[in-house]
């Protein structure tokens, strides 16, 4: 391809670790440089609308890429689902969560259950949905603590301030935790799929490379990485 | 008699302070010494505002500081009223609030000084509601004096309290301080440069020079010493006589007092016959006359005197100081010319005359 | 713009948090500032530096550490749990401790400056008039340091109002317990509810403006002024 | 713990940002504080309240508004763009403006207090000795207000170091341009890279501690002390 | 002759300040008045530290303030040296830096006061490297005086500059200020409560009472007025005589001066024959003798005098003030008793005798 160029990518924080691995490979394969900025999807959205110099936006949801497309900030037709988040109920210690998920949420020694804020974070919305489907939403109300995003929610559990938490499977399978602790992967039928979409931005100056990167993400090798980090795919 | 016993020594860079003295706890003790001689430092030590490593201070029976025994009574328990050299009023309080600050904190049973009286004497009424920030220099000093007095201290430390006040006001305030001494038995340590201010007031003197005590004793002793050249203008003071009131001559506005069996006349005093009265004579107000009592003169008082000692004035190279004995020491300062014309010599009998207005 | 249908409890909670935090800060900050102003200890500069340190960490990160410390297995939280039976994280008390920790320098610094400006002289006068050390502190040093207290209260209060990362982290955003106004506004911005965010921001600004104006006007009537 | 393989550019950028911001703040804050200390204008309390207002908003929210204002269509950004050809958002200059805006009260308040404590008297003396108003300010008022400047610099510097929401919002977390240390730490925490986060926090703390200790020790050698 | 023309009025709550006067810009003008009478306020107006709404101030030809025309020269351009009542040293500077602060800012071509000389005179050398915060009260005042002088002002405003200094130091500093007047022609406005301080120094007097000018004029005029009861102790001053030195009598340490053709003797002076010399007599130092010159007495000087006016002393109810004519007004203060014994009446010829040491 053409000479080495730089491409700037804005990514939702939960996908950051996964993307880093893909980026490393992409850089090795193409010689281009990728500069990654991460943050909450809401912030990144506001920044893009205000002229942030990003070429590609990996959101944690569908809403914002769609809005950007409608508002003319994104290239129509470039939007696609790059990963589907999976929700898991997790505890950092072994052998705590075993099978009977419902009773553990209500056990008296479970003082706090962490979820992401259902209003602001897709994983939070999914956790709420799942709890409602299980008929537990009302009963766990007074034990819920809300992380502003899924990262914070994970800290609540990881630091054992909350005994249980609905976190992203990708966090548990990631390099930090490596699948340790005990968990119950929430069945996908209990919540609407957490589709994370990416979109090519209009303001981007380096559309060629950006497109190449998006294609790279769609490539099977990248899809393997994404799956390995605990995401589903469409 | 009650005494204040003090020993302090501090080493400041360039100033070594090392004093030890005892003064009676009665009346006023003047602290004298030129600028930078350690007067303020001494007052601060006594108040307990500086704690020197190895100091000792005993107030009557109470040991306030004894570093050998690890005793140090904190300032606020010493009941010393301090009038600082800079007034140090509280800027966030009104004049009244400043005045009452110490009063409120004093033991009611020990309050012996009347608020109304102090305010009137110091002419503070018109200032009561004022903030202190824009008081004039003298107004600040008056408030500071009032504030210290109203705390009913058992010892008053005054650091040039009247420096910014006019003669008229000084004449009103000084007798009041004197009365505090006499009637309420509140001893005062009084720093001043002004001899006229201190003479009617002081019973004792502590004379500081470069951080050391150069002389201490009763005011008569210290001021009749001829060996303190340049330290104080001791040669200004002729004598300080302790007299007793005999009778009043209202038609002339005079009071006759008795001094060692002899009569002296002064302007009429408000005190009753029999009362003690201190009389001062300035050495330059003394005239010497040889050969019989002088002709009718407006200098009313004449005492027979014997010349004790004669020497050149250390302060004025054309004057001669004559130490006389009139029953107590009396210094006269006369010009050399008179000295030669009158052919004065030790042992000679002369008449010393001085005007009644020269007594205060 | 119509007033959005909203929950006022975060505002109330925010006021409580800011109020309690400021009180705690004054209680803790005053002796520290006093000591810093008058000590001759060699450790003064050290303590000065340590007091200012918390604010150099990003709030979320500080919150992260505080969360660990205040949690059931943490240094502070553990001890607290042994005493009271529950940890400090996700409680109002925990929020207060965290906020106080984070805003401490904003209170200590102005007080320190003010006490130094007052100096020893007026205190000496007060002591000599029979005021105990404590009495003199309350009746002379504090009123003379009123400008420092004003700064301390304003900075401490405002910073607690706006503080967000620490509170978010330690508080767990529990409605009615730890969900303060700043989080509510943040939430609205995150989910693109700009109207509500503007409205709440306006509420916070107007409220704060009123509080500040009242505080400053009250100060103008206070005695200590520039001549 | 081995030193994680890391990128030092955020540290350097952070120092630059904090340094430049403090300088800007002193330049802007000094006249405001001076005016507040000595004016008799009725608007004083108003201005005092307005200066303190920014900090009551959550940083992210304030950042959001600043982003809008500094962006290419914003009030300030638009004007800037007409002048220079590019907007202010996502640039270092934009960060400085945003940080300065957010930390202004931390600089103005201590200076205000210090100037008030200095008062008019020493200035009158300086003027009478032939010093112009400016001369007297630099040779008398400022050195006498050194304690206030110290607080201002420490609070302004530390707060800019730790400040995060505003910088994240206005700066966009672009490595090498606007990714400061606080954001780097935050990023590490977000992706659960605790080791790196601890390490960077330690770097930031130690560095700040050194800076603060040097500043405070330097101050001890300065002339103005409590007697 | 150069003049300072001033008109100011301010309304403080409880104090109405309203002055208008003209004084010659030469020598020293004493500003007198009791505490709170507006002396400091006047100095601040002249320095330009207060801007009163409708003031006027002209210094020689230069209008410094004229609110009718909107003129107001800022302080720093007036070249006035101010010695404040509180020393107001800069606490962040050493003594030397304080002293040089104004000097550095003065125009080098206008500098006429020598640093070394000032430091020596005010005994500042040992203080040079000191921080000002722990100087003693008097040390601070000395530094403040030095600082103002070294700025080479064209007008000196001194607000009780020597209040904390001892007699000895005053005697050294005062003549220096006098020389500034004479040799460098720097006019001085001098606030003081101390008559002894001001009499050798002042040429003119502005007497303030409750914010108004009660009297202004040359010192001789103001102090021989009998109609200013209580305002100053004018009755203390008997006369201020402008004399001329005739010859020295070194063997007696005396100098003979000529006053209206008559001889007076004073302690020997350092000035050459022909030089003018100001001589003061205190009213209470004057003795009156009826019938021929008095017998040999140590009071050396005798002048023939005519009694002009007699009245009770306003300050002392048992004294009588006698205004005499000895070629110029001379006030004598004697007791009532003497007054009746000597049967004094206006028009009577008497001899006024006073001691040479009483002259300064
Ligand atoms: N800013 C002000 N506001 C109100 N009153 C004031 C102000 N400044 C001075 N005064 C009052 O004006 C009067 C005159 O004050 P000023 O300082 O001129 O007196 P002064 O003659 O210098 O007295 P002192 O000899 O005691 O220093 C005083 O009663 C003082 O309280
Ligand atoms: N804390 C200190 N450090 C160093 N030197 C000091 C300190 N306090 C006082 N001094 C010095 O000690 C000496 C005595 O000071 P002090 O204030 O006692 O003098 P003073 O007799 O009161 O003089 P004045 O009449 O001028 O007020 C002065 O030279 C002063 O500069
Ligand atoms: Mg002193
Ligand atoms: Mg005055």
């Amino acid at each position: 391809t053409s000479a080495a160029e730089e491409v700037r990518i804005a990514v939702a924080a939960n996908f950051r670790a996964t993307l880093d691995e893909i980026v490393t490979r992409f850089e090795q394969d193409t010689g281009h440089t990728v500069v990654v900025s991460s943050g909450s999807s809401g912030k990144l959205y506001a920044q893009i609308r205000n002229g942030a110099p990003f070429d590609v936006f990996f959101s944690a949801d569908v809403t914002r890429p769609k809005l950007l497309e409608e508002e003319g900030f994104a290239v129509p037709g470039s939007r696609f689902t790059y990963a589907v988040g999976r929700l898991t109920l997790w505890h950092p210690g072994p052998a705590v969560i075993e099978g009977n998920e419902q009773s553990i949420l209500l056990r008296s020694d479970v003082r706090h259950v962490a979820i992401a804020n259902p209003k602001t974070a897709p994983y939070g919305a999914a956790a709420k949905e799942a709890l409602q489907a299980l008929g537990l939403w009302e009963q766990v109300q007074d034990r819920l603590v809300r992380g502003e995003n899924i990262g914070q929610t994970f800290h609540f559990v990881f630091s054992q301030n909350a005994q249980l938490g609905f976190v992203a499977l990708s966090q548990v399978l990631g390099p930090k935790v490596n699948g340790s602790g005990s968990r119950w992967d929430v069945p996908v039928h209990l919540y609407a799929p957490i589709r994370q979409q990416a979109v090519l931005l209009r303001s981007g100056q380096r559309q060629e490379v950006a497109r190449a990167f998006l294609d790279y993400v769609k490539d099977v090798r990248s899809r393997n990485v994404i799956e390995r980090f605990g995401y589903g795919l469409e | 008699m009650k005494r204040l016993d003090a020993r302090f020594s501090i080493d400041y860079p360039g100033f070594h302070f090392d004093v030890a003295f005892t003064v009676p706890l009665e009346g006023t003790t003047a602290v004298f010494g030129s600028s930078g001689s350690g007067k303020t430092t001494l007052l601060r030590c006594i108040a307990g505002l500086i704690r020197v490593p190895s100091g000792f201070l005993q107030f009557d029976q109470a040991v306030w500081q004894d570093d050998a025994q690890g005793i140090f009574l904190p300032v606020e328990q010493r009941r010393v009223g301090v009038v600082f050299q800079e007034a140090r009023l509280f800027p966030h309080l009104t004049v009244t609030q400043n005045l009452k600050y110490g009063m409120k904190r004093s033991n009611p049973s020990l309050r012996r000084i009347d608020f109304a009286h102090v305010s009137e004497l110091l002419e503070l009424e018109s200032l009561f509601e004022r903030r202190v920030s824009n008081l004039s220099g003298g107004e600040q000093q008056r408030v500071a004096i009032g504030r210290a007095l109203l705390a009913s201290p058992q010892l008053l430390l005054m650091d040039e309290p009247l420096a910014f006040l006019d003669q008229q006001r000084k004449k009103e305030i000084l007798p009041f301080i004197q009365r505090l001494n006499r009637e309420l038995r509140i001893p005062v340590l009084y720093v001043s440069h002004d001899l006229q201010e201190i003479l009617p007031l002081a019973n004792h003197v502590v004379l500081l020079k470069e951080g050391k005590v150069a002389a201490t004793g009763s005011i008569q002793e210290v001021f009749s010493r001829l060996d303190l050249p340049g330290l104080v203008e001791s040669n200004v003071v002729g004598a300080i006589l302790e007299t007793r009131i005999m009778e009043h001559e209202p038609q002339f506005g005079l009071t006759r007092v008795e001094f060692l069996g002899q009569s002296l006349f002064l302007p009429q005093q408000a005190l009753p016959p029999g009362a003690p009265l201190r009389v001062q004579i300035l050495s330059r107000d003394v005239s010497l006359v040889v050969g019989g009592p002088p002709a009718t003169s407006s200098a009313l008082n004449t005492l027979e005197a014997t010349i004790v000692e004669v020497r050149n004035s250390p302060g004025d190279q054309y004057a001669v100081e004559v130490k006389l004995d009139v029953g107590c020491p009396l210094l006269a300062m006369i010009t050399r010319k008179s000295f030669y014309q009158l052919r004065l010599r030790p042992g000679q009998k002369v008449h010393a005359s001085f005007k009644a207005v020269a007594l205060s | 713009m119509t007033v959005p249908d909203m929950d006022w409890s975060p505002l109330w909670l925010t006021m409580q948090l800011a109020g309690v935090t400021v009180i705690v800060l004054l209680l803790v900050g005053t002796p520290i500032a006093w000591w810093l102003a008058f000590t001759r200890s060699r450790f003064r500069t050290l303590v000065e530096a340590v007091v200012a340190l918390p604010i150099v960490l990003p709030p979320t990160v500080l919150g992260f550490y505080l969360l660990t410390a205040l949690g059931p297995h943490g240094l502070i939280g553990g001890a607290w749990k042994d005493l009271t039976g529950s940890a400090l994280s996700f409680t109002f008390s925990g929020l207060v401790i965290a906020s106080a920790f984070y805003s401490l320098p904003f209170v200590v610094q102005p007080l320190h400056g003010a006490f130094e400006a007052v100096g020893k002289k007026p205190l000496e006068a007060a002591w000599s008039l029979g005021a105990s050390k404590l009495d003199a502190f309350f009746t002379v040093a504090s009123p003379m340091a009123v400008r420092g207290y004003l700064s301390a209260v304003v900075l401490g209060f405002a910073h607690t109002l706006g503080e967000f990362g620490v509170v978010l982290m330690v508080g767990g955003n529990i409605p009615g317990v730890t969900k303060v106004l700043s989080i509510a506004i943040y939430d609205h911005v995150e989910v693109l509810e700009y109207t509500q965010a503007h409205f709440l921001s306006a509420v916070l600004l107007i409220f704060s403006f009123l509080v500040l104006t009242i505080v400053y006007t009250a100060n103008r009537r206070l005695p200590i002024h520039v001549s």
Side-chain angles (χ1 to χ4, degrees), chain A, chain B, chain C:
Chain A
T1 50
S2 55
E5 281 192 65
E6 189 184 83
V7 60
R8 290 187 176 182
I9 293 177
V11 60
N14 77 73
F15 195 64
R16 171 72 194 258
T18 316
L19 193 74
D20 277 347
E21 193 165 324
I22 296 172
V23 161
T24 312
R25 291 162 185 244
F26 177 75
E27 285 177 338
Q28 278 167 4
D29 290 358
T30 64
H32 295 304
T33 311
V34 181
V35 178
V36 181
S37 301
S38 63
S40 80
S41 303
K43 251 181 236 126
L44 293 171
Y45 166 79
Q47 288 170 337
I48 289 163
R49 286 180 44 124
N50 281 285
F54 301 131
D55 302 312
V56 180
F57 175 37
F58 283 79
S59 179
D61 63 358
V62 180
T63 322
R64 291 183 180 84
K66 213 167 145 191
L67 270 176
L68 286 174
E69 202 175 64
E70 284 165 18
E71 291 162 350
F73 291 98
V75 177
S78 64
R79 186 159 61 86
F80 74 103
T81 303
Y82 63 87
V84 180
R86 306 265 312 272
L87 192 66
T88 188
L89 180 67
W90 183 66
H91 175 85
V96 171
I97 307 174
E98 305 173 304
N100 194 346
E101 68 288 345
Q102 316 205 3
S103 62
I104 193 167
L105 279 168
L106 299 175
R107 253 166 54 180
S108 62
D109 59 343
V110 174
R111 182 68 201 86
H112 293 297
V113 176
I115 65 170
N117 188 342
K119 259 192 89 176
T120 56
Y123 283 94
K128 179 178 175 183
E129 248 178 278
L131 281 168
Q132 279 171 333
L134 291 168
L136 293 171
W137 178 243
E138 297 301 330
Q139 290 165 59
V140 298
Q141 270 309 308
D142 60 348
R143 347 186 128 189
L144 290 185
V145 290
R146 293 163 188 76
E148 205 41 53
N149 51 47
I150 197 65
Q152 212 168 65
T153 309
F154 183 83
H155 302 318
F156 286 163
V157 196
F158 185 76
S159 63
Q160 301 189 27
N161 279 284
Q163 289 71 32
L164 297 171
F166 286 96
V167 299
L169 183 61
S170 59
Q171 291 172 312
V172 178
L173 297 182
K176 175 76 189 174
V177 178
N178 261 325
S180 69
S182 50
R183 72 174 198 267
W184 171 60
D185 293 341
V186 181
V188 287
H189 67 270
L190 290 180
Y191 56 96
I194 307 165
R195 291 158 73 213
Q196 305 197 177
Q197 291 201 328
V199 73
L200 184 68
L201 296 175
R202 253 230 174 105
S203 55
Q205 309 289 312
R206 294 148 292 242
Q207 299 229 341
E208 289 292 296
V209 196
R211 273 179 206 279
F213 184 74
L214 284 181
D215 289 341
Y216 194 86
V217 173
K218 291 174 187 161
D219 185 89
V220 66
R221 282 172 299 170
S222 303
R223 293 169 71 92
N224 285 338
V225 175
I226 294 172
E227 277 192 308
R228 181 155 50 76
F229 271 82
Y231 292 97
L233 286 167
E234 274 193 336
Chain B
M1 194 185 344
K2 295 184 177 182
R3 302 192 149 271
L4 182 81
D5 201 349
R7 285 199 301 279
F8 301 106
S9 81
I10 320 174
D11 259 319
Y12 287 134
F15 179 73
H16 184 67
F17 181 73
D18 190 0
V19 300
F21 62 89
T22 304
V23 287
L25 277 175
E26 94 183 349
T28 300
T29 301
V31 179
F32 250 36
S34 60
S35 167
S37 61
K39 304 179 296 299
T40 299
T41 306
L42 175 62
L43 258 50
R44 288 175 61 79
C45 286
I46 295 176
L49 293 171
I50 324 179
R51 179 171 188 173
V52 303
S54 67
F56 179 85
L57 182 66
Q58 183 166 353
F59 178 89
D60 190 18
Q61 300 301 318
V63 176
W64 281 359
Q65 176 171 5
D66 184 355
D67 287 295
Q69 296 185 53
I71 296 175
F72 186 84
L73 193 71
V75 205
E76 64 268 26
Q77 290 169 29
R78 297 192 178 192
R79 293 185 54 222
V80 289
V82 183
V83 180
F84 294 91
Q85 202 163 0
E86 349 80 76
R88 294 205 193 176
L89 302 182
F90 301 129
H92 59 297
L93 302 179
T94 62
V95 168
T96 314
Q97 288 167 331
N98 265 280
L99 289 170
K100 293 197 170 161
Y101 189 92
M103 195 170 105
K104 282 193 192 144
R105 282 160 181 81
S106 66
N107 184 333
S109 65
L110 296 171
R111 279 182 211 153
R112 291 168 301 176
I113 299 179
D114 184 43
F115 184 82
H117 186 182
V118 167
S119 320
E120 189 197 351
L121 182 101
L122 297 166
E123 288 181 63
L124 297 174
E125 285 99 339
S126 63
L127 305 176
F128 277 170
E129 292 314 314
R130 293 273 296 275
R131 298 264 157 223
V132 300
S133 55
N134 44 33
L135 293 184
S136 81
E139 286 165 350
Q140 290 183 24
Q141 281 193 329
R142 276 143 57 199
V143 177
I145 296 171
R147 186 177 68 169
L149 292 179
L150 290 169
S152 299
Q154 56 180 338
L155 173 65
L156 252 181
L157 304 175
M158 308 184 91
D159 202 347
E160 312 201 31
L162 308 183
F164 290 135
L165 292 177
D166 43 299
Q167 228 48 46
Q168 191 54 37
R169 282 222 169 67
K170 283 187 185 174
K171 278 199 182 144
E172 287 160 24
I173 298 173
L174 283 172
F176 182 68
I177 296 175
Q178 223 163 346
R179 278 226 310 285
L180 289 179
N181 280 334
R182 295 219 180 126
E183 294 168 18
L184 303 180
R185 308 220 157 274
I186 302 177
V188 182
L189 254 74
Y190 192 101
V191 173
S192 171
H193 291 305
D194 188 346
L195 215 56
Q196 296 316 310
E197 201 172 309
I198 209 65
L199 283 179
L201 207 59
N203 303 58
H204 285 78
V205 176
V206 174
L207 192 59
L208 293 179
K209 182 181 181 179
E210 290 166 17
K212 315 271 174 301
V213 176
T216 179
S218 80
I219 191 162
Q220 284 88 354
E221 289 171 44
V222 173
F223 281 103
S224 66
R225 278 171 67 171
L226 285 179
D227 65 342
L228 296 168
L231 275 192
V232 276
E233 298 181 294
S234 58
N235 50 22
V236 167
V237 184
I240 297 153
L241 314 178
E242 306 290 354
T243 68
R244 184 170 302 277
I245 291 184
M246 300 304 288
E247 58 168 342
H248 300 294
E249 298 186 8
Q251 71 276 29
F252 298 123
L254 289 181
T255 292
R256 186 163 67 84
V257 300
E258 183 257 321
F259 171 69
L260 297 177
Q262 301 167 77
S263 283
L264 300 178
F265 290 91
L266 6 166
Q268 188 160 347
Q269 304 295 309
L271 299 165
L277 182 69
R278 167 180 290 195
V279 167
Q280 288 141 29
I281 305 170
L282 298 187
S283 60
R284 57 173 198 153
D285 276 350
V286 180
S287 299
L288 300 184
V289 179
V290 180
T296 320
S297 152
S298 62
L300 269 188
N301 296 302
T302 301
L303 289 175
E304 290 182 12
T306 313
I307 294 178
V308 176
E309 192 184 339
V310 175
R311 63 172 226 167
N312 291 330
S313 164
D316 177 353
Q317 67 171 122
Y318 301 113
V320 171
E321 284 176 21
V322 182
K323 187 164 181 176
L324 303 153
D325 183 358
V326 291
C328 81
L330 170 68
L331 290 187
M333 185 146 77
I334 59 174
T335 60
R336 273 198 185 191
K337 181 153 188 176
S338 305
F339 178 72
Y340 286 113
Q341 284 184 337
L342 298 175
R343 295 198 193 85
L344 299 179
R345 54 180 203 286
Q348 187 177 0
K349 302 267 183 213
V350 295
H351 280 87
S353 76
F354 38 91
K355 297 168 51 185
V357 281
L359 303 169
S360 93
Chain C
M1 180 176 119
T2 56
V3 175
D5 189 24
M6 61 164 289
D7 177 12
W8 290 98
S9 81
L11 178 63
W12 171 229
L13 196 67
T14 302
M15 296 305 121
Q16 273 186 304
L17 177 65
V20 174
T21 304
V22 165
I23 291 169
V24 169
L25 279 173
L26 291 181
L27 292 180
V28 175
T30 298
I32 298 178
W34 187 262
W35 184 83
L36 287 174
F38 293 108
T39 187
R40 285 157 186 257
S41 159
R42 295 184 296 130
F43 298 113
R44 197 191 75 173
T45 56
L46 225 82
V47 174
E48 267 187 298
V50 166
V51 167
L53 269 192
I55 51 170
V56 308
L57 282 183
T60 328
V61 176
L62 182 69
F64 173 68
Y65 290 119
L66 280 174
L67 183 64
T68 311
L70 297 177
H73 309 292
L75 208 70
I76 308 170
W80 186 271
K81 193 174 181 180
D82 293 346
L83 273 173
T84 65
S86 67
L88 277 166
S89 46
F90 310 130
T91 64
F92 185 76
S93 315
L95 270 198
V96 170
I97 293 181
S99 299
F101 196 68
Y102 188 49
S103 297
L104 188 61
F106 300 116
V107 168
V108 169
Q109 292 267 0
L111 290 183
H112 179 179
F115 289 146
E116 244 180 46
V118 169
K120 276 243 176 108
K121 295 188 171 186
L123 292 174
E124 290 183 347
W127 301 335
S128 79
L129 291 165
S132 70
K133 302 288 189 288
L134 209 68
D135 184 358
F137 169 77
F138 281 113
T139 56
V140 175
S142 313
M144 283 183 71
V146 67
R147 169 93 242 148
Y149 274 100
L150 191 71
S151 284
V153 167
V154 166
L155 291 182
F157 191 84
H159 193 245
T160 306
L161 285 191
E163 181 198 73
F164 164 74
V166 172
V167 166
L168 198 61
M169 202 71 179
V170 174
N173 195 2
I174 303 170
V177 180
T178 57
K179 181 174 183 170
V180 296
L181 201 57
S182 52
I183 299 183
I185 302 178
Y186 174 77
D187 283 358
H188 286 305
V189 171
E190 278 296 291
V191 299
L192 318 182
E193 294 170 0
Y194 293 144
T195 314
Q196 283 92 329
H198 293 334
F199 176 74
L200 278 189
S201 299
V203 167
L204 192 59
L205 283 177
I206 292 173
F207 171 81
S208 312
F209 182 78
L210 288 180
V211 170
L212 290 175
T213 312
I214 291 169
V215 168
Y216 286 128
T217 310
N219 170 54
R220 276 204 119 172
R221 319 209 161 205
L222 284 179
I224 309 281
H225 275 129
V226 182
S227 58

